[in-house]
Amino acid sequence: MPASFASRVADPGARPVVLDGGLATRLEARGNDLSSHLWSARLLLDDPAEVREAHRDFLAAGAEVITTASYQVSYDGLAAAGLGTADTDRLLRLSVATAREAVEPAVQSADDGPRWVAASVGPYGAALADGSEYRGDYGLSVDQLRAWHRRRLYTLIEAEPDVLAIETIPCRAEAEALLAEVQGSGMPCWLSLTNVADRTRLGEPLAEAFGMAAEVPEVIAVGVNCCAAAGVADTARLAVSASGKPAVVYPNSGEGWNAFARAWDGQRDLDPADAAGWVAAGARIVGGCCRVTPDDIAAIARALA
């Protein structure tokens, strides 16, 4: 029987786990229009087979974990598009099933170990589609954030992914809310914040947010994503020291998202060769986020081989 995802991450003698890269980036490169506020969730609704094939592109590049297209799927967001609660439940389950379809052939043909599905749990700000996941200035309490996340979180758990990817969390309150909801569920997860140096996007000490995960057994790794590649090794060390858990890191390409222009700008500065340094700093789960391509993931996989 293949090792569970949690046991692989916890095994210091095993290779680090390679994540996929930017799903939306790959879907656009394949010729898909993601200009709606639902991003890849719209394509999951209209053409799930195309999402599956984008997943397979990352698997072919060496990714061992496929992240579902559920980041932008929320009850509020789909309601604004005229879809009901049952439709949202269906799409959340479909995101996991589509990723599982992509992974199964890879598992059958892989010579070097299993492949896993991570169900993406994006932040509240992602549903607003206004860039607020990069600010964290929601003005909501921990209890309000818990209530907002609850149904989506447990619908994803019921779809039976291998792990939850709680990702791009910009503030301590939202991290606290999600940790409270996942505690006691028995579902392994990682907690990944988005940061600027040693601060959350809202400006709070990053170590405090990492530290909240220390006593939550479901959390198997903590770290950062959707961030600059520079400084990732330092952040990985901070995550390990603050939480006592392995680190997860998957930075952007270096380009920045302009929420008002709805476009990327800036220069790429991701060097996949740096991944070895991230692992030396304590990262056990390594990949890429926005604008990171299958070619980048293949280079990261080679750097960690």
Side-chain angles (χ1 to χ4, degrees), residues 18-113:
V18 179
L19 298 180
D20 56 5
L23 178 59
T25 299
R26 185 58 191 159
L27 288 168
E28 288 180 325
R30 291 176 60 90
N32 297 287
D33 179 7
L34 302 185
S35 60
S36 88
H37 289 304
L38 296 180
W39 292 86
S40 54
R42 170 57 66 183
L43 200 60
L44 186 65
L45 182 67
D46 295 340
D47 192 356
E50 184 62 16
V51 176
R52 182 189 64 221
E53 294 309 309
H55 287 325
R56 286 179 175 167
D57 291 341
F58 281 111
L59 290 165
E64 297 169 281
V65 181
I66 289 302
T67 308
T68 64
S70 52
Y71 177 88
Q72 205 80 18
V73 179
S74 70
Y75 297 94
D76 292 353
L78 290 182
L83 298 171
T85 298
D87 296 312
T88 305
D89 288 340
R90 181 180 66 82
L91 278 186
L92 289 168
R93 291 190 291 265
L94 179 61
S95 72
V96 176
T98 300
R100 188 69 69 190
E101 287 175 9
V103 163
E104 291 302 336
V107 170
Q108 294 167 13
S109 63
D111 296 324
D112 55 353

Side-chain angles (χ1 to χ4, degrees), residues 192-243:
S192 182
L193 287 92
T194 180
N195 67 305
V196 177
D198 62 351
R199 299 275 163 171
T200 70
R201 292 285 182 147
L202 191 58
E204 307 143 318
L206 196 57
E208 292 181 2
F210 290 153
M212 291 191 297
E215 303 304 321
V216 181
E218 284 80 2
V219 179
I220 61 173
V222 300
V224 291
N225 75 292
C226 211
C227 59
V232 162
D234 289 339
T235 306
R237 279 188 283 269
L238 180 64
V240 173
S241 65
S243 70

